Amino acid sequence: MNFDGLFSNFGELTTTGLTQGAIYALVALGYTLVYGVLRLINFAHSEVFIAGAFAALWTWNGFGLNQDSQVSGVGTIIFYLLAAMVVAAVASAGTATVIERVAYRPLRKRNAPPLAFLITAIGASIAIAEAFGVYTDRRPQGAPALVSSKPLFEVAGVPIDAIQLLTIGAALVMMIGLDMFINRSRVGRGIRAVAQDANTAALMGVNKDRIIMMVFIAGGAMAGVAGLLYDVRIQTLTYSVGFLLGLKAFTAAVLGGIGNLRGALLGGLLLGVVENYASGLFGSEWKDFAAFALLVVLLMFRPTGLLGESLGRARA
């Protein structure tokens, strides 16, 4: 155990952990939305994230940018980021919608058992990942360094850079926007109604299929933004990266209380920080172990997660 390494780098480990945790949280929102409404673990959601990440990368390629490009000018950088964010969100939302229409809706119409949904989700995940693998020849794809990693300022001696501010800030803004959408909009009321009792909601005139589609679109858009932020932060993308990141995002959703939007944010940030502390204390090879060990330990004492409130019981 390297306590000196942990305490001497405590601030940096915290900020980088929060940055990575923000990406987990955005992806976790999709898991928790779908589970809250359908009681379905959508394991294909990790590939929805990958679709957004590749869409953002290919958008920059369309503008003539590659991993060696140097971009200057704040306005130009903001334009490239916003353009890629829109394309990534649309691509991920579209991918999620196709998965729902092609893979899950036929099973719902036939009242298939839960195991059929699980197997279909895993199959869809593998198929999409392999499609990206074939298209990219299984080679890593580089992203342009649009946002500088040079420190902008310090907080209590801890350097803060623009990538950290962008990632954490974007995650918070998207989370607040989604929370307001679920709790204050007409569609959001429909989502909460279907989550609480789908049959009663249908009797009250709620179109269940439309609501479920909106859930997949909203969750997909969050994953698309997470894909963009991953590109900005890591600057290298492979077709298989969604598997482990998706598992950790699902872990974050369970940690916070799956079916709880605010719990997904809390779980993601907590997971990112804890695994970073573990890498500082035990070494980077223990990072993934710590993330899943945290889940096991927490569920032993609080099976419903940290917040535990279901989407259907969220306040209006």
Side-chain angles (χ1 to χ4, degrees), residues 21-37 42 45 170-179 182 215-216 218-223 225-226 248-250 252-254 257-268 311:
I23 296 176
Y24 293 155
L26 281 176
V27 181
L29 289 172
Y31 284 107
T32 209
L33 269 174
V34 172
Y35 181 84
V37 173
N42 180 22
H45 190 61
L172 291 175
V173 169
M174 295 298 292
M175 170 62 210
I176 292 171
L178 181 62
D179 190 72
I182 295 295
V215 165
F216 275 86
M222 298 296 113
V225 175
K248 288 186 178 181
F250 174 66
V254 176
I258 192 163
N260 187 305
L261 297 179
R262 297 169 189 178
L265 176 65
L266 176 62
L311 184 65

Side-chain angles (χ1 to χ4, degrees), residues 223-265:
V225 175
L228 163 72
L229 296 175
Y230 182 90
D231 289 342
V232 170
R233 182 171 185 265
I234 305 299
Q235 296 177 14
T236 301
L237 182 64
T238 59
Y239 76 99
S240 60
V241 74
F243 175 74
L244 183 58
L245 191 144
L247 283 180
K248 288 186 178 181
F250 174 66
T251 300
V254 176
L255 279 175
I258 192 163
N260 187 305
L261 297 179
R262 297 169 189 178
L265 176 65

